[in-house]
Amino acid sequence: MSYNIAIDGPAGAGKSTIAKKIAKNMRFIYVDTGAMYRAMALYFIRNGIPAEDGEKISRECKDVDITIRYVDGEQVVFLNGENVNGLIRTEEVGNMASASSINPDVRKKLVELQQLLARESDVVMDGRDIGTCVLPDADVKVYLTASSTVRAKRRYDELTAKGIHCDFAQIEKDIIERDERDMNREISPLRQAKDATLVDSSDMTIEEVVEVITGLCKEAF
Ligand code: DC
């Protein structure tokens, strides 16, 4: 039997940073499910398939192979055999992932892969629907959030630090739009599971959040 920790929340809440640290502390595998939706989105962008064309997206699903491997402890996503880790972090891919992930065939394919990974290993898995749909029996469930202004500020600082020129108001607008879409879609919307612990990181440091979640894990295991 494997142990599973589920961390859900909106874009920019710090899920991946926190989940990676928890995984390291617990010696679990970190599974970034957003990266899988992003890899699928990259395929649709490359092939000129618009997010609105649900039928085409469903048809194309069978031609998309997404696999996950771990290299030096880092998750690497392969799209039809190609390592796409370096190509999926753009705003364009993120927005396409949010739009194409409403498709039931996209979700079915990736949820199966996620459930398989969680059966095989002890995992910290982050996403939008992990506690509610993918791993409803997870040992620990966290809903990690922060205000949209704080999340936009973090994203703005991250991009600025990389020397990327960006507009704060536009970033906040994109975040609000993405929340709206992720929370209101028909299948597996982003929602706090009934048995998840809410952690609002707006006024917390990364270390404080890690401490709270590590405490929950200690209680559970
Ligand atoms: O976490 P992220 O920004 O990398 O995710 C990109 C998009 O993928 C997100 O806006 C919605 C979708 N997604 C999802 O529908 N379900 C998940 N478990 C993870 C991501």
Side-chain angles (χ1 to χ4, degrees):
M1 209 201 77
S2 54
Y3 290 112
N4 296 164
I5 301 170
I7 303 182
D8 289 303
K15 296 185 299 295
S16 65
T17 308
I18 303 294
K20 266 186 211 162
K21 286 184 184 284
I22 302 283
K24 197 163 176 227
N25 290 351
M26 306 286 298
R27 299 207 166 90
F28 281 19
I29 284 174
Y30 166 53
V31 182
D32 172 0
T33 63
M36 302 177 190
Y37 288 95
R38 284 172 181 265
M40 289 281 268
L42 179 64
Y43 176 90
F44 301 135
I45 292 172
R46 280 177 169 175
N47 290 280
I49 302 165
E52 305 75 52
D53 194 344
E55 267 180 39
K56 188 130 203 253
I57 289 203
S58 286
R59 266 201 314 276
E60 293 281 331
C61 270
K62 63 177 181 330
D63 293 329
V64 190
D65 178 54
I66 305 286
T67 40
I68 298 293
R69 260 180 253 155
Y70 287 86
V71 180
D72 297 330
E74 282 285 311
Q75 171 180 296
V76 182
V77 186
F78 289 85
L79 166 63
N80 291 335
E82 175 193 356
N83 175 347
V84 292
N85 263 27
L87 304 171
I88 56 177
R89 293 290 148 206
T90 64
E91 294 300 295
E92 184 194 13
V93 173
N95 288 329
M96 180 59 159
S98 172
S100 55
S101 64
I102 65 168
N103 184 290
D105 295 298
V106 170
R107 302 207 71 81
K108 184 168 179 287
K109 190 180 181 95
L110 297 182
V111 168
E112 278 170 11
L113 174 61
Q114 293 153 15
Q115 289 174 334
L116 178 72
L117 289 166
R119 265 200 306 277
E120 285 176 344
S121 314
D122 296 331
V123 297
V124 179
M125 189 176 283
D126 78 5
R128 304 291 189 287
D129 59 338
I130 311 306
T132 50
C133 295
V134 180
L135 307 175
D137 299 322
D139 304 277
V140 176
K141 293 186 188 179
V142 174
Y143 189 83
L144 182 64
T145 189
S147 72
S148 58
T149 309
V150 167
R151 289 184 283 130
K153 172 85 172 51
R154 288 177 187 160
R155 183 78 188 129
Y156 176 84
D157 290 345
E158 200 179 297
L159 291 171
T160 311
K162 283 186 194 158
I164 300 169
H165 179 75
C166 53
D167 174 39
F168 179 79
Q170 184 61 45
I171 291 180
E172 189 172 18
K173 187 169 163 277
D174 280 353
I175 281 195
I176 293 170
E177 263 174 35
R178 188 112 82 88
D179 287 356
E180 183 72 21
R181 213 167 28 216
D182 293 350
M183 289 173 177
N184 294 309
R185 66 183 178 214
E186 223 167 282
I187 312 169
S188 314
L190 167 64
R191 207 161 276 168
Q192 182 182 345
K194 283 196 186 72
D195 49 353
T197 302
L198 175 69
V199 179
D200 185 333
S201 72
S202 301
D203 298 312
M204 291 169 84
T205 62
I206 292 171
E207 288 70 29
E208 284 168 339
V209 176
V210 170
E211 202 180 307
V212 169
I213 300 178
T214 305
L216 295 173
C217 295
K218 283 189 183 149
E219 258 172 51
F221 304 137

